[in-house]
Amino acid sequence: MKHKKNIFTGIIISFIAMISLAIGLGIQVNQVNASTVAEIKAKGEIVMGTSPDYPPYEFIATVDGKQKAIGMDISIGERFAKDLGVKLVIKQMDFDSLLVGLETGKIDFSISGLTPTNERKKSADFSKVYYQADQYFVVNKNDKKLYKNFHSLAEKKIGVQTGSLQLKLAKEQMPQAKLTQMTKITDLILALKSHKTDALLMESTVAIAYAAHDDNLAYIKSGLVQGSDMEGTAIAFPKNSPELVAAANKTIDQIHEKDSITKYLADAGDYLKPAAKKENSWLIVAKYWKYFANGLGYTILVTVVSAIFGVVLGILFALLRLVNSKFVNNIVKAIVEFIRGTPLMIQLMFVYFGLSKMLNVDISPLLAGFIAVSINSAAYVSEIIRGGINSVDAGQGEAARSLGLSKKEAMQSIILPQAIKNIWPALGNEFISLIKETSIVSIIGVSDLIFQLRAVQAATYQGIIPIVIAMLIYFIITYGLSKLLNFYERRMNHGNN
């Protein structure tokens, strides 16, 4: 009984340690966001959700030596926050997660080229339209003469962003087309340039920007008919937020009166100029080396923290599977099998969106990444350790007990050392896999290597080179870790020779 109590105490201490470490790294668990003007002012800040891969609406650029989300939408958000007299906090997330972020209280509002369609109005409130644009196709320049409008692309492969207005338009008016959905515009551009798709449907302002900065791309007018609820972009708020909508409408009126949209677009264009047409592509990307360095830091941080807590929790899970209690065994077995039987992406989204909603707190993206990846890794590590313990001959434990060692002493001094030696290669594979699996945290806005890769793609209009650089970085750290693990494996085996 005392043994079980110690194990449960260990689990609790581990989770507390995880939270404490996260807080120590500058992460805070805050109250869920407010939804009225009075609550926003009392809080002193307003949280804006955006997907910064849509230049010139929103994208990542280097401003005064620091990475920053900029663009027309960001400028509108800054103006809105200024009018409210509060600080603007920007949360970066995938486009198809923005409405989920509003629903779960992760963000107070969203500006990200969102069109207030009737379908979206069922789950969010919208301000009046602040900008109107047509729908264009982006095509490879050599194919421009083949296509005139959506009729000539009716049976072709069309790329559209997941959850976007363009997806809805293509489905309704191009039923014979083969649609390719992706979360990021940068990925869609890459698919187009590698001829995975024939055309990419997007708003005219964005299409013109991409064509202007890439000699291999061109745009054509789509000719698609937009419904009355599909014209223009607006600010989205959580459902039943009339005060915030009214405040946003007031800001939009002032923006239109001063024609500030033109200035916002011009300011964004200034940051796109470094992507000069005649400059070497590698040199363009090389200027963003700090992005990759920053991403590498976060990748290593998530990996190390998740590996530490994954091993600690994995050992505890494994020991709980070995205690003489069928009830405890079945509970732990069910937990481990459930974790191993569900995708890490879903676990991550549950922790970030679902757990925040259930506990009524705001879990930061980095902390959500720590929790989800650590628990997922613990499930696999526990089975590796349990297999290693079971691989040790039962006679070893019996011999130790016959020599007067307690069960705990036999486990610590006789069984575990042999088990670790047996499972070392499998643990090494788990650690190497963990480095690569951490890339999933980019979907909730953690600035790891994959997140930074996409930021560089959006800022430079270069699709393949950032991918090659990220691949090389991943290879170097996984190969280095593999060599380090092999070194210690040889040292452990040295005693057997």
Side-chain angles (χ1 to χ4, degrees):
M1 189 66 188
K2 184 178 179 181
H3 179 62
K4 295 177 188 176
K5 184 178 179 181
N6 290 337
I7 291 175
F8 282 116
T9 302
I11 293 175
I12 293 171
I13 291 174
S14 298
F15 276 107
I16 292 175
M18 178 185 288
I19 300 299
S20 300
L21 176 61
I23 292 173
L25 289 169
I27 303 161
Q28 296 180 349
V29 180
N30 298 319
Q31 197 67 25
V32 159
N33 303 335
S35 58
T36 67
V37 172
E39 290 173 342
I40 292 291
K41 289 185 175 180
K43 193 170 62 167
E45 65 180 29
I46 187 166
V47 183
M48 168 181 159
T50 190
S51 177
D53 63 340
Y54 210 52
Y57 284 40
E58 54 269 331
F59 57 101
I60 302 294
T62 302
V63 181
D64 299 329
K66 295 181 179 178
Q67 292 182 48
K68 186 178 179 182
I70 61 171
M72 177 184 70
D73 287 349
I74 306 299
S75 297
I76 293 173
E78 290 172 344
R79 174 61 186 273
F80 180 45
K82 183 179 179 181
D83 289 346
L84 290 175
V86 297
K87 176 186 175 184
L88 177 67
V89 177
I90 296 176
K91 261 187 184 177
Q92 302 169 19
M93 52 180 62
D94 284 352
F95 182 81
D96 56 356
S97 297
L98 293 172
L99 294 185
V100 179
L102 287 174
E103 182 184 353
T104 56
K106 303 298 293 185
I107 53 179
D108 296 315
F109 72 110
S110 175
I111 310 182
S112 197
L114 282 164
T115 301
T117 61
N118 292 331
E119 188 175 11
R120 287 174 178 163
K121 286 179 179 177
K122 294 177 182 176
S123 57
D125 286 348
F126 284 90
S127 68
K128 61 175 62 176
V129 169
Y130 62 82
Y131 186 72
Q132 289 187 319
D134 293 328
Q135 302 300 323
Y136 283 9
F137 285 112
V138 175
V139 298
N140 288 304
K141 183 166 281 186
N142 292 335
D143 297 336
K144 184 179 181 180
K145 58 186 177 183
L146 301 176
Y147 309 120
K148 302 297 182 185
N149 50 39
F150 79 98
H151 293 295
S152 53
L153 285 160
E155 298 182 358
K156 298 296 182 180
K157 297 176 182 176
I158 307 298
V160 289
Q161 190 173 26
T162 304
S164 66
L165 168 67
Q166 291 74 30
L167 172 62
K168 181 180 175 67
L169 288 171
K171 279 185 175 179
E172 291 178 350
Q173 300 179 46
M174 303 176 70
Q176 302 301 318
K178 301 176 182 65
L179 302 182
T180 298
Q181 299 182 45
M182 293 185 183
T183 303
K184 296 291 184 181
I185 289 294
T186 49
D187 293 339
L188 287 166
I189 289 290
L190 188 58
L192 173 66
K193 295 174 73 172
S194 58
H195 299 282
K196 301 292 184 185
T197 60
D198 298 301
L200 169 56
L201 183 60
M202 59 172 59
E203 288 199 2
S204 56
T205 307
V206 183
I208 292 171
Y210 269 103
H213 289 79
D214 193 323
D215 290 337
N216 299 312
L217 300 178
Y219 64 84
I220 59 174
K221 295 182 178 179
S222 70
L224 293 168
V225 178
Q226 301 183 73
S228 58
D229 65 325
M230 301 178 183
E231 296 179 350
T233 51
I235 306 175
F237 294 94
K239 200 67 181 172
N240 301 318
S241 304
E243 287 186 27
L244 289 174
V245 171
N249 288 340
K250 186 177 178 181
T251 296
I252 292 170
D253 287 340
Q254 294 173 351
I255 287 174
H256 285 161
E257 287 174 7
K258 297 181 179 178
D259 193 24
S260 299
I261 292 290
T262 303
K263 180 181 182 303
Y264 296 158
L265 286 172
D267 290 344
D270 290 340
Y271 287 97
L272 295 173
K273 286 180 180 177
K277 293 181 180 179
K278 294 182 180 179
E279 194 172 357
N280 181 279
S281 299
W282 284 94
L283 292 178
I284 293 173
V285 177
K287 293 177 181 176
Y288 292 80
W289 66 270
K290 288 184 179 178
Y291 286 53
F292 292 104
N294 187 38
L296 176 61
Y298 275 100
T299 293
I300 292 176
L301 175 63
V302 175
T303 301
V304 171
V305 173
S306 300
I308 292 172
F309 287 104
V311 168
V312 172
L313 291 175
I315 292 173
L316 291 171
F317 285 160
L319 294 178
L320 285 171
R321 290 288 304 275
L322 297 173
V323 298
N324 188 25
S325 169
K326 192 174 181 180
F327 175 75
V328 173
N329 289 341
N330 288 335
I331 292 294
V332 177
K333 181 180 179 182
I335 293 173
V336 170
E337 292 301 325
F338 182 78
I339 294 172
R340 296 204 309 167
T342 52
L344 175 57
M345 178 186 289
I346 294 178
Q347 295 167 12
L348 180 65
M349 295 182 72
F350 173 77
V351 172
Y352 185 57
F353 292 112
L355 206 58
S356 293
K357 182 76 172 177
M358 291 167 61
L359 300 179
N360 199 31
V361 295
D362 181 19
I363 300 176
S364 73
L366 191 55
L367 180 55
F370 287 161
I371 295 172
V373 179
S374 296
I375 292 176
N376 182 272
S377 179
Y380 290 92
V381 169
S382 71
E383 289 302 282
I384 293 172
I385 292 174
R386 190 172 67 89
I389 292 174
N390 288 335
S391 69
V392 178
D393 194 302
Q396 298 275 344
E398 294 171 359
R401 297 297 298 274
S402 67
L403 292 174
L405 274 68
S406 67
K407 192 174 181 179
K408 179 180 178 182
E409 291 171 336
M411 178 63 74
Q412 290 178 338
S413 304
I414 305 297
I415 298 176
L416 275 181
Q418 296 183 70
I420 290 174
K421 187 183 296 183
N422 293 340
I423 65 176
W424 189 255
L427 273 179
N429 287 334
E430 170 60 22
F431 295 151
I432 290 172
S433 296
L434 190 62
I435 294 174
K436 294 175 284 186
E437 288 171 355
T438 57
S439 61
I440 199 71
V441 300
S442 64
I443 67 170
I444 58 172
V446 177
S447 303
D448 75 327
L449 263 176
I450 299 300
F451 182 92
Q452 299 291 358
L453 177 161
R454 287 172 170 161
V456 174
Q457 285 179 322
T460 64
Y461 298 93
Q462 300 295 324
I464 297 175
I465 295 175
I467 294 177
V468 173
I469 293 174
M471 285 176 63
L472 290 174
I473 294 173
Y474 272 114
F475 172 73
I476 291 171
I477 56 179
T478 55
Y479 185 75
L481 178 60
S482 176
K483 286 297 180 184
L484 182 64
L485 293 169
N486 289 340
F487 170 75
Y488 283 105
E489 184 179 351
R490 287 195 299 272
R491 289 197 63 177
M492 283 190 286
N493 292 330
H494 181 68
N496 295 334
N497 298 328

